[in-house]
Amino acid sequence: MKNGKVTMSDVAKRAGVDISTVSRVLNSSFEKHKYSDKTVAKVRKAVDKLGYHPSLVARSLRTGKTMLLGMVMSDIGNPFFSEMAFHLDGIMGEYGYRLIVCNTNEDPERQEEHIVGMLAHGVDGLIVSPSGKRGLDRIENSDVPLVVIDRPLSNGFSFVGLDNVLAGKMVAQKLKAHNYRRIGVVMPDSKEDLTLQERLDGLKTGLKDEGCILSWKVCIPPTAVAGEESHRAIVNKLKKELDYPDAIVGITNVCTLNIISSLEELDLVWGESLGVVGIDDFTAASIVRPSITVVGQPIKRIAEESFALLLKQIKEDKKKLKKETVLVEPVWHCRKSLPVR
Amino acid sequence: MKNGKVTMSDVAKRAGVDISTVSRVLNSSFEKHKYSDKTVAKVRKAVDKLGYHPSLVARSLRTGKTMLLGMVMSDIGNPFFSEMAFHLDGIMGEYGYRLIVCNTNEDPERQEEHIVGMLAHGVDGLIVSPSGKRGLDRIENSDVPLVVIDRPLSNGFSFVGLDNVLAGKMVAQKLKAHNYRRIGVVMPDSKEDLTLQERLDGLKTGLKDEGCILSWKVCIPPTAVAGEESHRAIVNKLKKELDYPDAIVGITNVCTLNIISSLEELDLVWGESLGVVGIDDFTAASIVRPSITVVGQPIKRIAEESFALLLKQIKEDKKKLKKETVLVEPVWHCRKSLPVR
DNA sequence: AACAAACATACAATCGTTTGTTTAAGAAGC
DNA sequence: GCTTCTTAAACAAACGATTGTATGTTTGTT
């Protein structure tokens, strides 16, 4: 009561009842314990008068549930993740959960630290977009539910993410439909990230099915941001080619970004002399002129599915539930860079 | 021990010492209590063997500190806020604090709900970018430290944000320095937001001091996104003017965005036929061609100052500390839209 | 050898809830 | 009128840590 904090026993005292009575009235747990209307009223009044709010810390200690869900993300600055956080916050709020976030900045060590920290804080579940495997085992050993997003891990954690093979295929189909035949592709040079391979595989088989030709492929450094070196590689490739392809595909948003800055340098206007299409959306895509057509991730759905998986694990309690993988369908953002020819 | 959770008393049991011994060894609180090396070693070993991590929930209950800091933001999708979260997460992490975020989506009701929720969760401090005043009084009544960011509130909360008058002045000075004389300005039509008035005032006095002329002013609807109506207003204004101004100033990023889409429609190339400069940075500014010169907010500094203020309040405990206002200096992002003429 | 001072550790209360188990009345049955 | 149910409310034990105080051992001093 002093120090600004009103506790349950203050309420009990003022209402002239026992603290357990207050608790049960407030939680409406009347199954085994009925209370007279008079008592209930007394309690309610005392609560209002004192402006009582239960301490979630104490409740958590007693119940073992904190109603906190943790999100460990690899790059909080990336719009994909902030949008993800936006949707998650909205959805889980309806269920009374609150979101704790942290940012690993792609650093596996920080990832582990953060995971340990979140577990110590007693989160009821974790959503992780992993930068490597470090720390994930900690979650597995605890029995805190976990859903991995964005990048699948070879270990069998529950996962929600894009159907990358399908994304590649969709690009191939769209290219064909819009009458592009000779296709160039730019992709990051990373063996580890199977996501990329899947996209490429989908694209390749798709192109073959559609009777298109993969004219060339350029690999660029697997950095998170567009860079001079990548840029150079693409320009060189284009200069060396005798004739340009009909269209260029960016396997990731960074690739696509590099493509457009290269074309700018060569004074080629995408959407006119040649088409450009990317996998994964990015802010600039709708801003540059002409705007860039991409297949993107349905972020809201990913958020919904992740939360649903998490909630199921929380409710069914044990992680005896077998791990589930949810692949979501990519969505087209049709803009100006891939007109019908 | 069962149920996967290892508690302090498990450690004590295994080490054959009292639980208080474990606590003090782990917290290195040796001022009043010295322990033999042997005991310390025993404890450490037991901790390692069992993989013990203290329950922050229990600790919070006992100590009254959760080591959680809450950030209530008006729009998590806005890069300003996600960058803010990024820096905050980084800084406070070094001090052992963890970040809880929530998103009000500019809805005062959700703001109040979230504030109540965060207080119930026992956060040690709050950083709020307010959408109205609702709920702020709750914080004031509790004795949880509060720092308001982004938009100052007439109530005297501690505040960190941009020096808007200075921002206006800086724009005026730059315009003069680059030889622009006749200036048009676009600003949102909102009486409430004093931020905007300050910017305009700074600009006006600055222009006067520099001997420039405020040629015209257009007010657009105060929406959060660029829109058709705003766009139209600007186009009309420009068409009606007999001769164009030397440069146009966007008072907010949304204004600037509207300016460039209007100019696009009129087939005017900014940075050539006329200059464009904005207050507040935005993603597109560096992406459109020519890129847009703006004075922006030093987000990292805002994060640092907010945390510093919060920490000071937390340490000096009482909110008896008088409220402080920190105005940070805007920073130039000089790009291509305002070349020297 | 006696006595205090310093050291090493244990005991026990507490933080604010939830929740299983009593207790104290009234009401009902005979 | 006495036992037996209900019903309404109180009692008390957790949850897992921190921390003030008490206790039992050494060590040092004379």
Side-chain angles (χ1 to χ4, degrees), chain A residues 99-270:
Chain A
L99 186 63
I100 307 196
V101 301
C102 63
N103 183 234
T104 66
N105 234 18
E106 301 285 8
D107 175 354
E109 191 153 345
R110 289 190 66 180
Q111 172 169 308
E112 178 153 24
E113 287 167 17
H114 273 135
I115 286 174
V116 170
M118 295 237 160
L119 290 177
H121 261 297
V123 292
D124 292 342
L126 276 168
I127 293 179
V128 178
S129 75
S131 305
K133 296 193 180 38
R134 281 194 51 183
L136 275 303
D137 51 330
R138 307 256 194 175
I139 308 178
E140 214 173 17
N141 295 335
S142 79
D143 42 25
V144 173
L146 162 69
V147 171
V148 171
I149 59 166
D150 197 38
R151 303 174 194 158
L153 251 32
S154 46
N155 320 38
F157 302 114
S158 280
F159 174 78
V160 178
L162 195 68
D163 186 338
N164 288 296
V165 176
L166 180 55
K169 276 198 184 125
M170 283 168 67
V171 168
Q173 284 161 2
K174 176 78 74 182
L175 284 166
K176 174 63 190 313
H178 285 200
N179 301 313
Y180 295 82
R181 265 198 91 235
R182 301 182 56 256
I183 312 299
V185 58
V186 177
M187 91 179 276
D189 190 13
S190 166
K191 299 292 164 214
E192 290 123 56
D193 196 339
L194 29 117
T195 297
L196 304 176
Q197 291 305 326
E198 289 175 359
R199 291 180 185 179
L200 185 63
D201 287 351
L203 180 66
K204 274 181 174 169
T205 63
L207 288 178
K208 188 177 292 173
D209 292 352
E210 303 290 342
C212 297
I213 298 154
L214 182 57
S215 160
W216 51 257
K217 188 180 98 182
V218 170
C219 287
I220 63 172
T223 55
V225 288
E228 193 49 39
E229 192 183 342
S230 313
H231 182 192
R232 222 54 357 265
I234 300 170
V235 171
N236 286 339
K237 184 65 174 183
L238 286 170
K239 280 185 174 162
K240 225 175 352 190
E241 290 292 308
L242 298 173
D243 52 349
Y244 294 141
D246 299 339
I248 308 181
V249 178
I251 289 292
T252 70
N253 47 15
V254 175
C255 293
T256 312
L257 222 30
N258 276 304
I259 292 170
I260 65 180
S261 56
S262 303
L263 294 182
E264 246 161 15
E265 175 165 331
L266 295 169
D267 269 326
L268 292 172
V269 180
W270 53 90

Side-chain angles (χ1 to χ4, degrees), chain A residues 289, chain B residues 226 231 256-266 270:
Chain A
R289 297 300 152 100
Chain B
H231 181 192
T256 313
L257 222 30
N258 275 304
I259 292 170
I260 64 180
S261 57
S262 303
L263 294 182
E264 247 161 15
E265 175 164 332
L266 295 170
W270 54 91

Side-chain angles (χ1 to χ4, degrees), chain B residues 278-299:
Chain B
I279 297 181
D280 214 358
D281 201 10
F282 52 104
T283 316
S286 55
I287 293 168
V288 292
R289 296 303 151 99
S291 53
I292 307 291
T293 293
V294 299
V295 273
Q297 313 208 31
I299 304 183

Side-chain angles (χ1 to χ4, degrees), chain B residues 8 18-44:
Chain B
M8 201 151 183
D18 188 79
I19 178 174
S20 62
T21 306
V22 177
S23 174
R24 281 192 255 255
V25 166
L26 258 40
N27 294 311
S28 320
S29 45
F30 296 137
E31 307 92 55
K32 305 236 60 173
H33 298 266
K34 304 239 1 127
Y35 290 99
S36 67
D37 295 351
K38 206 178 69 182
T39 304
V40 170
K42 274 195 299 188
V43 170
R44 291 259 143 77

Side-chain angles (χ1 to χ4, degrees), chain A residues 36-51:
Chain A
S36 66
D37 294 352
K38 206 177 70 181
T39 305
V40 170
K42 274 194 299 186
V43 170
R44 292 259 143 77
K45 201 167 103 189
V47 165
D48 285 352
K49 277 278 176 267
L50 297 174

